[in-house]
Amino acid sequence: MSKLFIVPTPIGNLKDITFRAIEVLKEVDLILAEDTRTSGKLLKHFEISTHMQSHHMHNEHKTVESIIQKLKSGTSVALICDAGTPAISDPGFLLSRACIENNIEIECLPGATAFVPALVNSGLPNDKFVFEGFLPVKKGRQTRLLLLAEETRTMIFYESPHKLVKTLGHFCEYFGEDRQVTVSRELTKLFEETIRGTTKEVLEYYTNKPPKGEIVVVVGGKSK
């Protein structure tokens, strides 16, 4: 029986991959990739020729059992996603749970995750925080926002650029216009940007300057 390696990949700057991650990706028998086209560029850059197989949110329920059988037969497998650490708002949980249920060893490498630098450079309290990932798009969104309005810990969200203004508007409505918020965009990339201020100020900024790229929003908790 082999083991599953969970391998973080850069969120932007390719130099952020670790020596150990490159070594593992070269040595395993199979790499499970969220998008083989995206990961193919990364592997080509680091001269990694390991065979890839698609493993994403639309097929992971169907492929988990066959992957478990591969691991049981001695095939060494690495799981990667398009950017960052697998299972953090990306595929990975189902497979890791299945491995645990089948007594298959899991080794998770440390590495890039977008919310950590966004939290650290926000200037908001980070001794205690809650990671929310993506808010519900429709059903359950209002209920979640009402609950989070009472949260006293710093909150972290992922958001797409075309939904950011709407989400900031909801933060103004449910959390108040004076709640502190930070928007980190395109972390580790050429046009990295961090905008800090109240929910009202940051909403006005992005209303006048539509955002592009990957986005992490950090919101201060309710004052006690």
Side-chain angles (χ1 to χ4, degrees):
M1 187 180 294
S2 191
K3 70 167 70 171
L4 173 69
F5 294 90
I6 298 177
V7 182
T9 56
I11 60 175
N13 193 321
L14 294 182
K15 294 179 181 178
D16 290 335
I17 198 167
T18 66
F19 292 124
R20 185 175 165 211
I22 294 172
E23 182 179 83
V24 168
L25 293 176
K26 286 184 175 180
E27 292 181 352
V28 293
D29 301 311
L30 175 66
I31 296 173
L32 302 176
E34 184 180 3
D35 186 326
T36 55
R37 294 166 299 181
T38 299
S39 296
K41 297 174 184 177
L42 176 73
L43 300 191
K44 182 178 180 182
H45 180 82
F46 290 105
E47 300 180 344
I48 299 169
S49 58
T50 307
H51 177 66
M52 279 192 295
Q53 177 182 319
S54 179
H55 182 79
H56 49 73
M57 62 179 293
H58 301 296
N59 74 354
E60 58 179 336
H61 287 84
K62 299 177 182 178
T63 58
V64 164
E65 185 56 39
S66 64
I67 295 166
I68 292 298
Q69 294 307 315
K70 285 185 172 71
L71 286 160
K72 285 184 174 180
S73 68
T75 302
S76 57
V77 179
L79 173 67
I80 62 176
C81 56
D82 289 348
T85 301
I88 304 297
S89 291
D90 277 317
F93 165 69
L94 291 177
L95 181 57
S96 60
R97 182 178 64 181
C99 285
I100 292 168
E101 290 172 347
N102 286 273
N103 296 314
I104 296 170
E105 186 178 355
I106 302 172
E107 186 170 333
C108 184
L109 279 61
T113 303
F115 79 77
V116 174
L119 172 63
V120 173
N121 74 25
S122 70
L124 294 168
N126 55 30
D127 55 331
K128 295 180 181 179
F129 61 89
V130 54
F131 175 71
E132 284 292 315
F134 290 96
L135 282 167
V137 177
K138 293 181 181 179
K139 186 178 180 181
R141 187 179 181 92
Q142 182 182 37
T143 302
R144 193 68 196 160
L145 286 167
L146 285 169
L147 179 66
L148 292 173
E150 301 302 315
E151 176 60 66
T152 58
R153 295 168 293 181
T154 298
M155 297 169 281
I156 305 166
F157 303 87
Y158 285 166
E159 192 51 279
S160 60
H162 66 280
K163 293 180 181 176
L164 177 64
V165 169
K166 178 182 178 180
T167 295
L168 290 171
H170 284 156
F171 289 168
C172 285
E173 179 183 353
Y174 289 92
F175 302 162
E177 294 184 344
D178 60 348
R179 188 77 69 93
Q180 291 296 308
V181 62
T182 295
V183 174
S184 291
R185 187 178 65 83
E186 293 289 82
L187 287 166
T188 78
K189 300 177 184 177
L190 183 61
F191 298 105
E192 178 177 333
E193 174 185 70
T194 296
I195 300 298
R196 303 175 181 88
T198 64
T199 49
K200 181 180 180 180
E201 290 168 343
V202 178
L203 171 60
E204 289 175 351
Y205 177 87
Y206 282 112
T207 298
N208 296 320
K209 187 178 179 181
K212 296 179 180 179
E214 302 293 325
I215 292 169
V216 185
V217 185
V218 183
V219 184
K222 183 180 180 180
S223 298
K224 297 180 180 179

